[in-house]
Amino acid sequence: MASASRTPTPAQPEQTRNWLELPPEVMATILHRVGAIDILANVQMVCTTWRRICKDSAMWRVIDMHNLGDLWDMEHDLEKMCKHAVDRSEGQLIDINIEYFGTDELLQYIANRSSQLSRLRLVCCHNVSSEGLSEAVKRLPLLEELHLYYTSIAKESIEAVGRCCPLLKSFKLNNQGSRRPHIDCDEEALAIARNMPALCHLQLFGNKMTNDGLQAILDGCPHLESLDLRQCFNVTLTGNLGRRCSEQIRDMRHPNDSTEDYGFDAEIHDCESCDEEYPSGFSDIDFLSDDDEYYEFSGASNGFSDYEELFFD
């Protein structure tokens, strides 16, 4: 018996997702992961819907100016972009991350317009001075987290932070670790101990403090829950001091603990082996750049480009 012929089932059209149909709050969450630089330089140029989302002040409560540090080849002005992002927050900014390009003037600009700021992160900002930071924190009474990576400040600035930011709970003052030459310095540790009694989390990666400085911190910061002393090679956690740390600190990182999860170049740069080309402690890999071209915040001219006129309306 011949088999009955079957009419072929027509292929179903492949369904595609229209990103423009996503709810605005979902789209905003997705776009925010791109980072502030790409949002200002690229994302908001895609379509009117994305531009409308990108101009919403709620998009700028958190500003992440992460970059790879290749500032010499960048065609856009990161400081100008950052100021524009702060302006878009309309005073709602609570969290900002600045890498490589921070200056005293930019920090003051942020402080003057962001009284609600609770988290400030500066990475390798050599143009931020102790005086500049001390002046800025006077306008940041709600600051709860201050994280400084390879950004040098004096003890006077630490004292100013402690006085002006009574809600400070997390402080990071991280530098490049070294064993030679042997230098002891407890100034920063003592400034922390005397001015930041409410601290819960403290990271002093590569600090020159001694056991005396650590003892002062344990006495002056009774609420400490976590303490990171990796590459603090002048500290010896033995005897009574070691026992006190284990009893008082819930999460303790010792000087010789692994740095695998640190996130930055943790190579120990002693004077004998230090590469002067990268005094901040960053390796070649940190200076790789993207191939993306940015136009509207170009630093090539003093005036606004046609793109900038569009975005600053």
Side-chain angles (χ1 to χ4, degrees):
M1 179 177 178
S3 60
S5 62
R6 297 181 179 178
T7 302
T9 303
Q12 296 295 322
E14 183 178 350
Q15 293 184 347
T16 58
R17 180 183 296 276
N18 186 348
W19 289 96
L20 297 181
E21 294 178 355
L22 287 173
E25 62 273 12
V26 175
M27 196 70 248
T29 300
I30 295 173
L31 295 181
H32 203 279
R33 296 178 181 273
V34 175
I37 296 175
D38 268 335
I39 289 175
L40 292 172
N42 297 311
V43 171
Q44 66 176 3
M45 298 170 61
V46 173
C47 62
T48 56
T49 298
W50 285 15
R51 174 162 169 73
R52 184 171 59 252
I53 293 173
C54 292
K55 291 191 70 174
D56 187 348
S57 60
M59 275 286 290
W60 304 97
R61 297 185 74 239
V62 176
I63 298 175
D64 184 3
M65 299 293 293
H66 170 76
N67 65 88
L68 296 176
D70 199 358
L71 305 182
W72 300 275
D73 291 334
M74 287 188 179
E75 297 183 12
H76 49 279
D77 187 332
L78 290 184
E79 187 165 346
K80 184 187 297 182
M81 295 178 82
C82 186
K83 289 179 179 179
H84 183 53
V86 171
D87 290 341
R88 282 195 176 183
S89 73
E90 297 180 354
Q92 299 183 49
L93 181 63
I94 61 172
D95 184 338
I96 189 167
N97 172 47
I98 300 172
E99 302 191 2
Y100 297 95
F101 66 92
T103 64
D104 287 348
E105 194 271 338
L106 175 60
L107 200 57
Q108 193 63 47
Y109 190 91
I110 294 169
N112 289 340
R113 292 159 177 79
S114 310
S115 60
Q116 298 183 46
L117 193 69
S118 63
R119 185 176 188 267
L120 172 62
R121 185 174 187 262
L122 302 177
V123 178
C124 205
C125 293
H126 298 309
N127 291 321
V128 171
S129 67
S130 291
E131 295 78 11
L133 181 61
S134 298
E135 188 63 27
V137 294
K138 293 178 181 179
R139 296 182 176 271
L140 302 175
L142 301 183
L143 198 66
E144 296 183 11
E145 300 181 31
L146 177 59
H147 298 170
L148 307 176
Y149 295 81
Y150 308 105
T151 300
S152 299
I153 61 172
K155 67 179 181 66
E156 288 80 10
S157 189
I158 297 175
E159 294 167 352
V161 171
R163 290 193 306 268
C164 300
C165 308
L167 301 180
L168 195 70
K169 298 293 189 297
S170 178
F171 184 55
K172 295 183 180 181
L173 183 60
N174 297 340
N175 293 291
Q176 195 71 33
S178 65
R179 298 179 188 271
R180 297 184 299 273
H182 183 82
I183 300 174
D184 296 341
C185 182
D186 285 319
E187 284 190 349
E188 295 166 343
L190 294 176
I192 292 169
R194 294 166 180 168
N195 296 277
M196 299 181 177
L199 278 185
C200 296
H201 309 284
L202 177 61
Q203 186 176 67
L204 294 172
F205 197 100
N207 197 271
K208 302 296 184 184
M209 72 176 178
T210 69
N211 283 11
D212 291 338
L214 175 56
Q215 184 74 51
I217 288 174
L218 295 176
D219 291 338
C221 306
H223 304 292
L224 271 185
E225 300 175 8
S226 67
L227 178 59
D228 190 343
L229 300 179
R230 283 177 292 179
Q231 296 194 4
C232 295
F233 297 121
N234 295 333
V235 172
T236 305
L237 296 177
T238 58
N240 292 333
L241 184 59
R243 283 193 294 272
R244 182 176 177 186
C245 286
S246 63
E247 294 171 357
Q248 184 172 336
I249 308 300
R250 182 187 307 170
D251 181 11
M252 185 76 191
R253 307 297 293 272
H254 293 237
N256 291 301
D257 281 355
S258 171
T259 59
E260 186 174 349
D261 63 345
Y262 180 53
F264 294 92
D265 175 19
E267 181 181 353
I268 300 171
H269 289 272
D270 297 327
C271 280
E272 290 84 349
S273 60
C274 182
D275 185 352
E276 293 298 328
E277 188 175 359
Y278 303 123
S280 64
F282 285 81
S283 63
D284 315 51
I285 195 68
D286 294 302
F287 289 91
L288 293 177
S289 64
D290 292 331
D291 291 329
D292 297 331
E293 294 182 354
Y294 306 111
Y295 301 98
E296 62 274 25
F297 294 96
S298 172
S301 63
N302 293 328
F304 289 151
S305 67
D306 292 339
Y307 291 99
E308 288 175 313
E309 291 177 359
L310 170 65
F311 296 145
F312 281 86
D313 61 3

